[in-house]
Amino acid sequence: MAEVYDVIIIGGGQSGLACGYYLRRTKLKYLILDEQEECGGAWQKTWDSLRLFSPADQSSLPGWLMPKNEDGFPPKDHVINYLCKYEGRYDFPVKRPVQVEDVEKESGVFKLKTSVGDFSAKTVISATGTWKAPFIPKIKGIDIFRGKQIHSAQYNNTNDLENKNVLIVGEGNSGAQILAEVSKIADTSWATLKDPEYLPDDVDGRVLFNVATAKYKAEKEGKKFDPAAYNLGNIVMVPTVKEARERGVLKTKGSFTEFTENGVIWEHGTKENFDLIIWCTGFHYATDHLNNIVDPDAKGKIKTEGTRAKNTNGLWLVGYGGWTGYASATLIGVGRSARATIKEITEYLKD
């Protein structure tokens, strides 16, 4: 008879590891299934120059501080190294590469159908994040454009972009950071639905997390939260974006209404040709593997109370951002959600 785990975590990135940290303190039998070939989660897939918004000691998973980085904001490789060492430090039971293709529930037990066979568990934590679900809006004529289109999830670096005409789409952090980098080597334009909004120069991830914490506490106490000068969606002025501002690069051309074969038509009617479009338009939630046991909306969002799925007993979702816990999509923020989740699961399995 196949082994039935108390808990199976789907996803071995930062959220899955944070849950594992608290699970190892229990007597529960658990397993982490990760689709990646190696440790490091979605950080393996990010663009080469990406850096954290916060110093290392403000970007840590529970139990072990990220080692300091010499120049303040840790780069991609530093984060991956930390996640791999964190995984090894606590000797989590991780099995990879395993693609979870479907989850079913029979007689109170979850059956996970995967690329390496079936697994069974009394409870499931989905910690797959968003990286597998990039969002590109359906704009008129998008299918006739002959140039190349990629999402920020596929962007790596500026290799082969020299002297190209590149359009960056999106007014968030990824749009600003990729614009800052690509504009050094290519002729770039920036398309945004609204004027980009920037945080003060001295505000980084440390303050953002503190704002998220303040919001959490205020709402728990039934008080109104006023973030004053801060908006969690505004652009963080990391060094590369500050440098781009000094070069006069951070200038939006507004939005465009449709594509032509060679470019776009801007809202004021002028046409412009581009070789490449880089979509920095965000992500939906990577929850397709749960479609047989939940009813997600168009973005993959599931009804939850905290991290617990409302309509599917025994299912929790960790690390998907605001709807599963304030700042839960961040390294330092996911610990709170993970701790609360494991406490709930422990109580649930007592029954």
Side-chain angles (χ1 to χ4, degrees):
M1 183 176 178
E3 181 175 11
V4 179
Y5 290 88
D6 291 314
V7 188
I8 288 182
I9 301 170
I10 304 173
Q14 61 195 40
S15 300
L17 296 181
C19 290
Y21 175 81
Y22 290 106
L23 272 170
R24 61 185 285 277
R25 295 178 164 187
T26 71
K27 295 181 179 180
L28 300 178
K29 179 76 171 179
Y30 72 100
L31 178 66
I32 300 174
L33 301 178
D34 187 31
E35 71 173 6
Q36 304 293 342
E37 294 279 348
E38 300 175 349
C39 52
W43 278 90
Q44 297 180 64
K45 308 296 184 181
T46 63
W47 63 89
D48 296 346
S49 64
L50 180 64
R51 287 175 174 265
L52 285 172
F53 292 155
S54 306
D57 59 355
Q58 297 290 324
S59 307
S60 302
L61 292 175
W64 185 44
L65 289 177
M66 180 185 292
K68 289 185 178 181
N69 183 62
E70 291 181 359
D71 53 354
F73 297 93
K76 170 181 177 176
D77 290 347
H78 188 86
V79 179
I80 292 174
N81 186 54
Y82 168 69
L83 292 174
C84 291
K85 288 187 175 180
Y86 186 90
E87 182 179 312
R89 180 186 182 94
Y90 296 112
D91 195 25
F92 297 124
V94 183
K95 188 174 181 65
R96 62 166 61 92
V98 179
Q99 172 71 46
V100 176
E101 299 160 349
D102 189 24
V103 179
E104 299 175 353
K105 193 176 184 184
E106 301 174 0
S107 302
V109 176
F110 292 95
K111 179 176 287 186
L112 287 73
K113 298 184 178 298
T114 82
S115 55
V116 298
D118 294 349
F119 294 85
S120 298
K122 299 174 185 176
T123 64
V124 167
I125 300 173
S126 184
T128 50
T130 61
W131 203 259
K132 282 183 62 183
F135 169 69
I136 295 177
K138 296 296 182 182
I139 296 176
K140 182 179 179 181
I142 190 171
D143 294 329
I144 68 170
F145 177 63
R146 293 178 176 177
K148 185 177 180 181
Q149 300 182 60
I150 62 172
H151 190 273
S152 61
Q154 287 87 46
Y155 172 75
N156 292 315
N157 51 50
T158 60
N159 292 353
D160 303 321
L161 296 186
E162 188 171 2
N163 298 323
K164 294 292 179 71
N165 291 319
V166 181
L167 177 61
I168 313 292
V169 185
E171 62 267 14
N173 280 290
S174 60
Q177 288 190 36
I178 291 176
L179 172 69
E181 179 169 283
V182 174
S183 61
K184 290 182 175 182
I185 197 169
D187 183 5
T188 57
S189 296
W190 194 14
T192 64
L193 285 176
K194 61 179 183 179
D195 287 339
E197 297 182 13
Y198 305 92
L199 288 167
D201 283 9
D202 59 345
V203 173
D204 60 26
R206 288 169 292 188
V207 177
L208 288 179
F209 180 69
N210 289 336
V211 171
T213 300
K215 182 178 181 182
Y216 173 79
K217 289 182 178 179
E219 294 193 0
K220 289 285 282 187
E221 297 170 1
K223 299 177 181 178
K224 184 178 180 180
F225 174 73
D226 181 8
Y230 307 119
N231 183 316
L232 299 182
N234 289 358
I235 294 169
V236 181
M237 299 304 293
V238 295
T240 56
V241 176
K242 290 179 183 177
E243 188 273 337
R245 180 181 61 192
E246 292 173 2
R247 286 189 285 118
V249 171
L250 302 182
K251 295 179 180 179
T252 176
K253 289 188 174 181
S255 61
F256 57 94
T257 57
E258 62 181 287
F259 281 91
T260 64
E261 289 186 349
N262 299 311
V264 304
I265 302 176
W266 293 100
E267 56 187 340
H268 43 71
T270 62
K271 296 180 180 180
E272 189 170 2
N273 293 342
F274 293 100
D275 302 302
L276 171 67
I277 313 289
I278 303 179
W279 294 97
C280 302
T281 43
F283 299 80
H284 286 172
Y285 304 103
T287 55
D288 286 354
H289 55 288
L290 302 174
N291 283 351
N292 276 337
I293 58 171
V294 298
D295 186 22
D297 66 14
K299 294 183 178 181
K301 185 178 179 180
I302 297 160
K303 292 181 180 179
T304 56
E305 184 174 336
T307 62
R308 178 182 60 82
K310 280 189 174 181
N311 301 320
T312 305
N313 289 335
L315 173 64
W316 280 260
L317 298 100
V318 175
Y320 292 90
W323 64 280
T324 61
Y326 290 120
S328 70
T330 66
L331 281 157
I332 195 171
V334 72
R336 177 192 292 134
S337 297
R339 181 174 61 238
T341 297
I342 303 312
K343 183 178 180 180
E344 287 186 10
I345 289 176
T346 302
E347 291 297 318
Y348 174 83
L349 291 175
K350 284 182 179 178
D351 299 336

